[in-house]
Structure formats: structure tokens, C-alpha cells
Amino acid sequence: MQSQEDVRGGLRHLINLQGLSRQTLTSILDRAEIFRRLPGQPTYSGQELRGVTIANLFFEPSTRTRASFELAALRLGAQVVNLDLQSSSRVKGESILDTLFTLEAMNTDIFVIRDSEPGVPEYLINHVAPHVSVISAGEAHLSHPTQGLLDMLTIRTHKRHFAGLKVAIVGDLRHSRVARSAAQALATLGTTDVRLVAPEPLLPDEDFPGSQRFTRIEAGIAGADVVMMLRIQKERMKKSTSLDDAAYFRDFGLTEARLTLASPSVLVMHPGPMNRGVEIASEVADGPHSVIREQVNNGVAVRMAVLAIIANTLAQQRRAL
Ligand code: ASP
């Protein structure tokens, strides 16, 4: 894969967290902390992206991530264009490049892209002009780097360190790009106790770094410092797979009773959108351990940080020419 960093080590693209150093991840989180404002506080408003044009290309539905990228860009003074597109109307790889070249001709500097087809972000970084960057806002079931970063910021805010943490990732791991990016980031940042918790058919085929597998939620979340719940992604399941919501909640739903098995200071996370009453009980989603809304808040700060860092790399590159 083409590197996400330029020759000077500056972040140029962000399409997954694999291969990024602990120092790079930490510096993104540090920058995000500068931009973060709690709900009710005046938002950070800067000019770090003045003169920068960003195109949000979403070939898959999105609420949080799209709004979050747009707000992040606007709060740093960028010009933004949002396009909701249909993957189905696309001949593999071809018309997406035409869209990209068209927007490049309008002086777009950064593309934010979400797509259900594996490999699209990598394909694009191999084709964009040298002064253009690509950020993935979700690639198939494989990667969701800014979600991974916002999850790490949320954990770091409460737990300070990653070493020694017990993190349970529970639910539809097989189809989850959120779980894959979180597991990569946790491994890089030093967490060695990661539990993958799901009924057998929803566990991933591949191994996640340094993780153990559990097929009973009670065992998987015992003593956990963080319980990361995942949405059941029916849209990614084969048509033949039937899943009974009530039976899933009975066997794997995170209820208040089950949560007592985790650490008394456990954090409950969920990337959204939530299926209340399927993977998580409403009392837990809205309860005292939940940091789900903080994750959303951190998402804007992390995306501001990523955009600002990448725009800085592009500006330095331009100055060096
Ligand atoms: N919003 C997250 C994603 O895009 C999680 C989910 O959809 O379940 O992957």
C-alpha cells in the first residue's frame, strides 16, 4: 500500500490506522484535545483550513460521520462541498475517478470518502494529484480510522493510559470496521487485553492483534474497563442469514444486570446508530457509565485535528516545491 505519510513523515492521507506509530496517533489525539469543546461551551472557531476546499463523498449512508466532518471543516474555516452518491450507479472504480477528477479540477484539496466496496480509498490515493489528500470516512467492513481515533480519545480522557486496560468489543465483529480500527489503535497504544465477544457466526475470520475470543458475553465483559458495543449490521449480512432480535438481546444484549460483571468504573461505548433493545438496553445506553454522546463530541474534535494536520502537510509540501 502507498504510504499515508509523506517523505518528511507528515500525515498526507488517512485511510486506516495500520502502520501509524504510537507517536502519530498520540499527536492526533493531543491536537483534538485543543479543538474539543464540551456541549454548551462556545465552539472552537479557527482559520487553520482557510483556503482549503474539502469534498465529502458519501457512497454509503451516514449521519454522525458526515455531519461531524462537515462541522469540523467549517469550524476551521474550510470551504466544503457535500455529495451523497449511490454506489450502485457506479461502474467499478471508473466513475468514482471521474467524480474525483472533476472535483480536483475545481481545486479540491481533500477528499473525505465513505464507500461499501473494499479498496476504494487505496485506489484513490494511487490516483489523486500530488497536492491532494484522501481521508476515509469508512471503508466496507474494513476500516474507519477517525472512529478509531475518537474512540481512543474517549478512552484516554477517562482512563489516561492504555496499558493494563481490559477492553471488550461486543457484537457484530464480523461486519464491523469500527471494531477493526479500534483493535488496531488499541494494539498500537499498548492495550494487551482485548476481548472479542460475539456468537460464533459474528466473530471475524481473521485474528485481531493480541485479542482473545469469547462466545458468552458474561465471560467476555467480566472485569472489563471498557465495553464497546457494536451495531448488528443486517445490511452487510447475507440475505440467507436470519437473526432474531429478541433472541440476540436475550443472549448478548448489554443490560444493567450484565454490566455489574464489568469493572465498577466501566465505560460503555457505542459508535451509533444504536439498535436499542437489540445490542444494548436503553437504561445502559443512557445510564451513568455511558460515554456514547462524548464519543460523538470527540468525533468532531478528532476530525478537526486530522483535517488540520493533513492540510498542514499539504501546505508544507507546496512550500517545498
Ligand atoms: N457508524 C458506524 C460505521 O459507519 C457504525 C455502524 O454503522 O454500526 O461503521
Side-chain angles (χ1 to χ4, degrees):
M1 186 182 92
Q2 184 168 325
S3 174
Q4 303 184 91
E5 291 168 316
D6 72 359
V7 281
R8 287 179 296 272
L11 191 66
R12 163 80 195 290
H13 305 288
L14 181 66
I15 66 169
N16 66 50
L17 298 180
Q18 215 163 7
L20 295 183
S21 66
R22 186 180 292 198
Q23 197 194 340
T24 300
L25 299 188
T26 303
S27 64
I28 298 172
L29 303 185
D30 292 346
R31 189 77 185 270
E33 277 184 354
I34 297 171
F35 293 138
R36 179 172 56 187
R37 296 290 182 273
L38 297 178
Q41 290 180 340
T43 52
Y44 182 100
S45 152
Q47 289 300 314
E48 288 80 347
L49 298 177
R50 199 167 130 206
V52 175
T53 301
I54 299 172
N56 289 322
L57 306 185
F58 281 73
F59 290 93
E60 255 197 340
S62 171
T63 311
R64 262 155 296 271
T65 307
R66 216 199 83 165
S68 179
F69 265 111
E70 184 174 357
L71 288 173
L74 294 173
R75 286 176 186 169
L76 295 179
Q79 289 170 349
V80 186
V81 58
N82 293 307
L83 299 180
D84 285 319
L85 304 144
Q86 289 297 320
S87 328
S88 55
S89 65
R90 193 174 82 214
V91 182
K92 195 177 177 187
E94 280 180 5
S95 65
I96 194 169
L97 260 195
D98 281 339
T99 309
L100 189 103
F101 292 151
T102 303
L103 288 158
E104 256 186 21
M106 297 181 194
N107 280 341
T108 297
D109 302 286
I110 301 177
F111 287 94
V112 176
I113 175 130
R114 166 171 289 196
D115 199 278
S116 59
E117 198 181 314
V120 169
E122 190 176 352
Y123 178 73
L124 295 183
I125 68 172
N126 288 320
H127 287 85
V128 287
H131 56 275
V132 171
S133 292
V134 176
I135 299 174
S136 167
E139 175 189 2
H141 62 290
L142 293 175
S143 158
H144 195 346
T146 55
Q147 176 76 43
L149 289 164
L150 76 88
D151 288 340
M152 295 310 111
L153 182 59
T154 309
I155 295 173
R156 191 175 81 166
T157 303
H158 289 270
K159 303 291 181 190
R160 304 314 313 164
H161 303 290
F162 290 93
L165 285 183
K166 298 179 177 55
V167 180
I169 311 180
V170 184
D172 187 0
L173 284 128
R174 173 175 287 273
H175 302 104
S176 179
R177 54 193 175 204
V178 174
R180 286 173 175 79
S181 286
Q184 280 166 2
L186 286 166
T188 306
L189 293 169
T191 301
T192 51
D193 187 345
V194 175
R195 296 119 177 240
L196 311 183
V197 188
E200 196 67 52
L202 296 183
L203 282 168
D205 287 336
E206 78 274 31
D207 279 331
F208 287 11
S211 61
Q212 294 179 65
R213 292 166 177 245
F214 293 82
T215 49
R216 282 189 57 244
I217 185 169
E218 290 79 5
I221 66 171
D225 301 295
V226 177
V227 177
M228 205 179 268
M229 300 304 295
L230 301 173
R231 180 174 68 89
I232 296 293
Q233 302 200 28
K234 289 192 178 156
E235 77 280 14
R236 291 195 204 282
M237 291 179 186
K238 290 200 195 88
K239 294 222 167 54
S240 55
T241 314
S242 65
L243 197 130
D244 176 342
D245 290 350
Y248 185 83
F249 185 67
R250 184 192 64 218
D251 298 337
F252 269 88
L254 187 62
T255 58
E256 282 179 318
R258 285 188 171 130
L259 196 59
T260 61
L261 301 168
S263 155
S265 59
V266 65
L267 302 181
V268 173
M269 303 174 69
H270 193 303
M274 280 185 276
N275 294 309
R276 291 171 182 259
V278 180
E279 66 260 0
I280 190 165
S282 267
E283 302 75 59
V284 176
D286 303 324
H289 294 282
S290 170
V291 290
I292 295 169
R293 289 193 198 160
E294 268 182 66
Q295 288 175 268
V296 178
N297 182 261
N298 285 334
V300 180
V302 154
R303 289 170 183 126
M304 288 166 88
V306 169
L307 289 170
I309 290 169
I310 286 181
N312 187 47
T313 306
L314 291 179
Q316 283 191 1
Q317 201 174 291
R318 228 171 279 137
R319 277 196 289 275
L321 285 178

